[in-house]
Amino acid sequence: MKFIAVIRQVPDGESRLKIEGGRVSLQGATLILDQMDEYAVEEALRLKEKHGGEAVVVGFGPERTEEAIRTALAMGMDRGIHVVAEGYVDPVTEAEALAEVLKEESPTLVLTGGQQADWDSQALGAALAEALGVPVVAWTTALELEGETAKAKHDLDEGAEWVRVRLPAVFTTQQGLNEPRYPTLPGIMKAKKKEIKKVAFGGRTRVEILEEAIQEKARLQKILDGKDPVAAAEELVRLLHEEAKVI
Amino acid sequence: MILVVLEHDGKTLRKGALEALTRARALSEALGLPVHGLLMGENAEGALEEARRYAAKVYLAKTGPYTAERFAEGLYQAGKEAKVIVAPSSRQSRAYTARVAYRLRAGLLEDTLESWAEGGEVYARRYAYLNRVLQTQKAALPVVLTVKPNTTPLAEPLAEAGQVEEVAVPEVATVEVLERLQEEKKGVSLTEADVVVTGGRGMGGPEAFGLVEELAALLGGAVGATRAVVDAGWRPYSEQVGQTGKTVQPSLYIALGVSGAVQHLAGMNKSKYIVAVNKDPEAPIFKHADYGIVGDVHQVLPALIQAVKKLKD
């Protein structure tokens, strides 16, 4: 059995973003393994621990993405593959490049995050499934292997459902699926020796980013003291009615 | 052709479908292409008469109930010749639009706030970096574009009813649905509400949400919840606001006992006005609030309800 987690490296949600020349600059930002992809790594590890086989991490992105791949290796993944691609690449083109690598690996199943914390894209898992010609289960919150099939619970727009799907398939992850483990010191030591195969990305993005601007709305920050809850509540309602005119 | 996915509930078109139509019509003028509609899924016939009032041609694809693969097949069969496909960005649409974008090797413009065409290319604005950055993108045709809810005026009906064309959809071996866990719907839908009242862990327990519901009802709004509240089982997942739940953009967002984690902010930081009530003056939510009360939510919330009632009298 082979379980693959597809990951990317993204800025930490708490880190300050800067704009330089009309584009986001990540200089000085803390870069991490995308937290949504961490669930994918954790799930691949759990499946391997339960069913045996191999857990492989596949990273997509610039040279620095190797750090995120090492994090996944330190968590316990067996080996890594890095598709080295500079700059923005749309999910369709990304899926095309990743599918080449994944087809060679013939995985039992593939996991990836439900949303990318930099491009806010939710398309990669489904595009990847299409590229591989297999089903996709999006926003998975529970996953069990049953022979040649998997039983999974996933979220819909309204409610959720349990499905059974023939493998291989692609699963996109989200919070709630598991609690990702931390890399241990021995894990970090071992990760240094694990193989990372480099693959050059040769595609061309179909979508171009022309401009980026920070959109953090300046807030009024009129904060009232609630020691007298009734007075504070009345003042708040007055402000919402007379000043903001929203009630 | 520009093809619009007309999402529906088996009776009427969803608001998102009417927003997608408006976007498609604007692109249609700039690109000189006609707008056609597509109905898929369970009881699609139920929405057919309404759909005909909005598009000169409506494709009826007999896909059966939703799975990403069935809907991707239906959309592909109706839209393989389309230059632009426009769909509302719902959780479900993201899976089938991405599959079709791959099949057509199309530029995928996700979750767009606005869009326009120039020189045969499609441009769009959207948020990125957990909703913190406004991004302008461009793609050559063919393009698959999804429309973020509540960004676009609703389309007006056309003078003449459109034609109907049935589309054959090959059987797709796909996921087998074992059990569907429906959530009971009540009041205004969260993503469409103009007022959202959200309770966080600071509410202390599920029983405190009775008052959250009362305030939401008074303001004609919907109830939201944070991840922690949903994980604790106090509220259903359908009410979760945040990165892994729903994204809302109401005129008024009231956060009660919510600390303001980045993942939560990503789901509501585009609200017009944000109000926070929290007993911790250092809670990050206050940095993102227009108005706030530092105080015990168990005392402030009943007082707020009284104050709103007083205003209404």
Side-chain angles (χ1 to χ4, degrees):
Chain A
M1 294 216 180
K2 194 186 284 184
F3 306 104
I4 292 192
V6 173
I7 62 138
R8 290 180 63 252
Q9 190 193 37
V10 298
D12 185 323
E14 309 274 355
S15 63
R16 277 242 157 266
L17 298 171
K18 282 184 302 190
I19 297 287
E20 273 169 23
R23 294 292 302 274
V24 168
S25 157
L26 294 179
Q27 208 116 57
T30 311
L31 296 165
I32 55 168
L33 166 59
D34 196 329
Q35 286 172 305
M36 285 273 204
D37 296 339
E38 261 184 29
Y39 300 115
V41 171
E42 177 63 35
E43 201 62 18
L45 290 170
R46 288 186 187 196
L47 287 167
K48 183 199 150 177
E49 284 159 4
K50 198 162 168 196
H51 303 279
E54 196 183 19
V56 181
V57 52
V58 179
F60 186 93
E63 277 300 340
R64 57 171 168 74
T65 304
E66 194 177 315
E67 299 159 14
I69 297 173
R70 292 272 173 218
T71 304
L73 293 175
M75 286 168 76
M77 300 296 275
D78 296 310
R79 64 185 165 89
I81 301 173
H82 181 187
V83 181
V84 185
E86 291 296 327
Y88 172 74
V89 177
D90 69 273
V92 167
T93 310
E94 185 185 347
E96 214 172 356
L98 285 167
E100 292 288 306
V101 172
L102 296 181
K103 274 179 190 158
E104 266 176 47
E105 293 283 336
S106 335
T108 308
L109 59 81
V110 179
L111 297 143
T112 193
Q115 182 179 341
Q116 304 173 335
D118 51 358
W119 313 126
D120 288 8
S121 172
Q122 300 188 5
L124 182 64
L128 206 48
E130 184 66 34
L132 295 170
V134 303
V136 61
V137 179
W139 301 102
T140 312
T141 51
L143 178 59
E144 294 153 28
L145 288 196
E146 293 177 337
E148 312 254 289
T149 64
K151 192 177 153 194
K153 187 183 174 194
H154 76 129
D155 291 326
L156 301 170
D157 285 296
E158 274 128 22
E161 63 184 14
W162 278 99
V163 296
R164 180 172 290 125
V165 59
R166 183 158 283 282
L167 297 174
V170 177
F171 298 83
T172 79
T173 62
Q174 68 159 315
Q175 227 167 329
L177 176 62
N178 54 44
E179 269 311 319
R181 68 196 68 186
Y182 291 103
T184 58
L185 191 58
I188 294 168
M189 298 311 287
K190 269 191 221 157
K192 289 185 179 160
K193 294 196 196 97
K194 288 180 183 171
E195 179 207 346
I196 298 180
K197 185 175 139 195
K198 298 275 179 178
V199 179
F201 167 72
R204 232 180 112 223
T205 184
R206 289 177 170 85
V207 177
E208 242 181 274
I209 295 175
L210 302 174
E211 204 185 351
E212 289 174 320
I214 304 284
Q215 281 291 299
E216 269 164 309
K217 192 172 173 247
R219 296 289 173 182
L220 301 172
Q221 300 204 338
K222 293 194 181 172
I223 311 299
L224 311 166
D225 187 339
K227 274 198 199 85
D228 181 346
V230 174
E234 284 187 350
E235 175 61 4
L236 176 63
V237 168
R238 188 192 68 79
L239 287 166
L240 293 175
H241 179 62
E242 290 173 14
E243 195 176 272
K245 298 187 167 51
V246 283
I247 60 174
Chain B
M1 166 195 42
I2 298 179
L3 185 64
V4 182
V5 182
L6 300 172
E7 290 200 335
H8 60 90
D9 62 6
K11 289 188 201 89
T12 51
L13 299 184
R14 291 191 194 276
K15 203 174 150 194
L18 300 183
E19 292 187 74
L21 275 161
T22 302
R23 293 284 198 88
R25 286 180 189 171
L27 292 173
S28 142
E29 274 179 44
L31 295 168
L33 297 166
V35 174
H36 295 171
L38 168 65
L39 287 174
M40 300 189 278
E42 241 167 345
N43 306 318
E45 292 87 349
L48 186 58
E49 281 318 303
E50 191 191 0
R52 290 180 64 208
R53 291 166 53 216
Y54 287 92
K57 191 181 240 180
V58 177
Y59 298 103
L60 185 63
K62 305 230 163 144
T63 56
Y66 170 81
T67 69
E69 288 69 34
R70 285 198 192 115
F71 273 35
E73 194 60 44
L75 177 54
Y76 176 72
Q77 291 305 332
K80 52 189 162 193
E81 304 297 329
K83 293 283 178 255
V84 183
I85 289 172
V86 185
S89 49
S90 63
R91 184 160 281 212
Q92 282 153 224
S93 82
R94 294 174 202 270
Y96 64 79
T97 52
R99 291 198 80 117
V100 171
Y102 186 88
R103 225 182 277 190
L104 299 173
R105 300 296 197 277
L108 178 61
L109 301 170
E110 288 173 82
D111 242 344
T112 62
L113 302 157
E114 52 177 330
S115 45
W116 66 99
E118 229 175 83
E121 291 181 305
V122 178
Y123 293 74
R125 287 212 172 90
R126 63 186 298 274
Y127 293 126
Y129 295 92
L130 303 177
N131 261 348
R132 292 189 296 163
V133 165
L134 183 69
Q135 209 174 52
T136 310
Q137 295 188 331
K138 165 180 107 158
L141 302 177
V143 162
V144 175
L145 182 139
T146 65
V147 177
K148 192 178 175 71
N150 304 321
T151 56
T152 313
L154 306 187
E156 296 290 335
L158 301 173
E160 244 175 275
Q163 306 165 350
V164 179
E165 190 177 314
E166 284 206 19
V167 175
V169 182
E171 198 60 45
V172 192
T174 179
V175 298
E176 178 196 351
V177 178
L178 302 173
E179 185 189 358
R180 202 156 270 189
L181 313 157
Q182 291 286 0
E183 264 144 10
E184 191 191 336
K185 271 203 280 182
K186 48 184 174 182
V188 219
S189 99
L190 185 55
T191 47
E192 291 174 5
D194 201 42
V195 176
V196 174
V197 185
T198 289
R201 206 185 337 224
M203 296 306 300
E207 58 293 330
F209 276 80
L211 290 176
V212 177
E213 282 178 0
E214 192 179 341
L215 182 59
L218 268 174
L219 297 171
V223 173
T226 62
R227 175 91 219 184
V229 161
V230 173
D231 279 348
W234 300 351
R235 300 298 292 185
Y237 171 73
S238 57
E239 290 179 0
Q240 189 181 312
V241 174
Q243 191 187 354
T244 58
K246 291 189 168 117
T247 302
V248 298
Q249 198 176 348
S251 299
L252 175 60
Y253 187 89
I254 303 181
L256 303 165
V258 171
S259 65
V262 180
Q263 289 79 358
H264 182 72
L265 293 171
M268 47 62 88
N269 61 6
K270 295 292 174 261
S271 303
K272 193 166 171 206
Y273 285 97
I274 294 174
V275 171
V277 178
N278 198 306
K279 63 172 190 268
D280 175 10
E282 301 299 323
I285 189 78
F286 284 120
K287 289 198 191 73
H288 302 271
D290 293 289
Y291 303 101
I293 297 178
V294 177
D296 182 353
V297 74
H298 301 289
Q299 293 172 9
V300 174
L301 179 53
L304 261 178
I305 290 170
Q306 288 314 313
V308 172
K309 278 186 181 159
K310 215 158 114 186
L311 176 76
K312 298 223 157 182
D313 288 338

